[in-house]
Amino acid sequence: MKSARLLLAALAWAALSMSARSQALDFGKIEIITDQVAPNLYMLSGTAGLDPSHEDAAGGRIGVLAGPDGILMVDAQYAELADKVLAAIRRISAAPIRFLVNTHIHRDHTGGNAKFAKMGATIFAREELREGMRDPARPAGDPAAIPVVSYGMGEPVKFHMNGEIVDLVPVRAAHTGGDTMIRFENANAIMIGDYYRNYGYPYIDINNGGSLRGMLEALDITMKVARADTRLIPGHGTIIKRADLIPYRDMIFAIQGKVQQLIAQGRTLQDVLAAHVTSPYDSTVPGGLLPAGAGTSADRFITEVYQELKGGK
Ligand SMILES: [Zn+2]
């Protein structure tokens, strides 16, 4: 009985990953949608239903702070969408794009870097992100994409422009090893990158330096920095408030506890995946059972938790 269930789970997993592979990303169909979240702060996101990795909106969300002092952008989407992103920005403002900040290294957030750097934007990011882009193991990209200004885990870097104060708050290795949260003090909004998501289960990119422990710490820092009414804007999914972080963190703790228990019982990763430890949450996590990586986003999350706990980090 148990082996039949395992076989079914394996078949379902294979079918899901095959459907993910066969669905290629058609950039031509993706449009960039603009939402104004404050008088001079806008969010740009791709059309829903076209990006198999992000069914809710293609690619990563972009922030645009516009005004007489020029434009500051947060993240730069897939490279293939850079022209459409630029067109969307130009519908907001004709001012020069002076600064581009990356929340983290993934290509749905940094792909457009080179395009905007060549237009004169100075790119800011964590030292770890810059090093990640320069890694010889990585396919060689356009050198213009590499951040020019980098910073570590110290005090936030602050921009003062367009009547706004923008804080680049470094976050310990969470979704990746080089995450930054970007706070707009007057707009009372924080772009939190991908260390929180409400479409699919949490994604800890261990290969790019992410960690479970850092993700929990990042959530704690966000709760400290945010006020109750601050809008928290993730790289993917819907805008949330501070209170929404609590059940999210509780879910991560609970799943961590269950995986830890199974590891203590000597279970293998396959056993832990077959135990479906996310099942109490599956109905409340949209996209949780959709393909992500080699399996579902639940499988990916459990695998990451297992690897980190097993590694004793
Ligand atoms: Zn990401």
Side-chain angles (χ1 to χ4, degrees):
M1 188 61 198
K2 194 183 167 205
S3 63
R5 266 210 314 272
L6 272 175
L7 180 64
L8 277 176
L11 283 172
W13 188 353
L16 281 170
S17 47
M18 268 168 67
S19 74
R21 271 197 297 274
S22 61
Q23 265 180 288
L25 195 46
D26 183 352
F27 290 104
K29 285 189 187 156
I30 299 170
E31 299 300 327
I32 301 296
I33 299 146
T34 302
D35 292 303
Q36 187 172 18
V37 298
N40 58 1
L41 183 62
Y42 301 80
M43 295 296 144
L44 313 184
S45 46
T47 325
L50 294 173
D51 181 354
S53 316
H54 312 101
E55 287 284 345
D56 55 314
R61 187 180 261 126
I62 287 178
V64 176
L65 175 71
D69 301 330
I71 291 169
L72 177 144
M73 279 174 79
V74 176
D75 283 343
Q77 263 285 11
Y78 292 118
E80 293 86 344
L81 296 177
D83 289 336
K84 287 182 184 176
V85 169
L86 177 61
I89 293 173
R90 285 298 169 237
R91 286 193 286 274
I92 298 168
S93 165
I97 301 170
R98 293 177 64 193
F99 305 110
L100 166 55
V101 180
N102 291 141
T103 59
H104 66 287
I105 195 167
H106 289 152
R107 75 181 186 106
D108 52 330
H109 299 261
T110 58
N113 272 14
K115 161 103 181 171
F116 296 101
K118 286 173 183 168
M119 292 178 61
T122 303
I123 305 178
F124 283 64
R126 287 279 298 280
E127 187 62 36
E128 291 85 345
L129 186 155
R130 184 170 186 279
E131 284 309 307
M133 278 196 177
R134 285 158 43 88
D135 185 345
R138 211 179 151 84
D142 191 328
I146 297 171
V148 169
V149 182
S150 63
Y151 48 89
M153 280 298 298
E155 288 296 307
V157 174
K158 283 179 183 275
F159 288 88
H160 302 263
M161 57 190 288
N162 298 325
E164 182 57 274
I165 302 167
V166 186
D167 305 322
L168 312 188
V169 183
V171 168
R172 211 168 283 286
H175 174 60
T176 71
D179 292 359
T180 298
M181 75 163 92
I182 290 103
R183 178 181 178 213
F184 299 89
E185 294 189 14
N186 297 328
N188 193 20
I190 304 177
M191 293 188 72
I192 55 176
D194 289 5
Y195 62 80
Y196 165 91
R197 69 171 53 207
N198 52 27
Y199 193 86
Y201 278 98
Y203 176 21
I204 302 160
D205 183 358
I206 296 172
N207 294 329
N208 275 304
S211 76
L212 172 63
R213 211 193 263 183
M215 186 164 276
L216 290 165
E217 201 179 301
L219 295 171
D220 281 344
I221 294 169
T222 310
M223 281 191 246
K224 281 199 192 101
V225 173
R227 299 198 294 261
D229 63 347
T230 302
R231 270 168 303 178
L232 301 177
I233 306 171
H236 311 276
T238 57
I239 296 176
I240 56 156
K241 294 281 168 63
R242 187 173 65 183
D244 297 312
L245 295 175
I246 295 162
Y248 186 76
R249 195 182 51 164
D250 289 350
M251 175 186 77
I252 297 177
F253 270 127
I255 291 171
Q256 179 189 26
K258 280 187 190 160
V259 173
Q260 186 71 71
Q261 233 172 29
L262 292 169
I263 290 173
Q265 292 167 12
R267 306 292 185 85
T268 65
L269 174 59
Q270 289 315 313
D271 295 337
V272 176
L273 287 172
H276 296 298
V277 297
T278 61
S279 58
Y281 306 98
D282 288 343
S283 61
T284 53
V285 176
L289 299 180
L290 286 179
T296 66
S297 98
D299 294 332
R300 180 174 69 183
F301 177 50
I302 296 306
T303 303
E304 293 153 356
V305 171
Y306 180 90
Q307 284 176 349
E308 181 158 332
L309 295 175
K310 187 83 177 170
K313 274 190 230 169

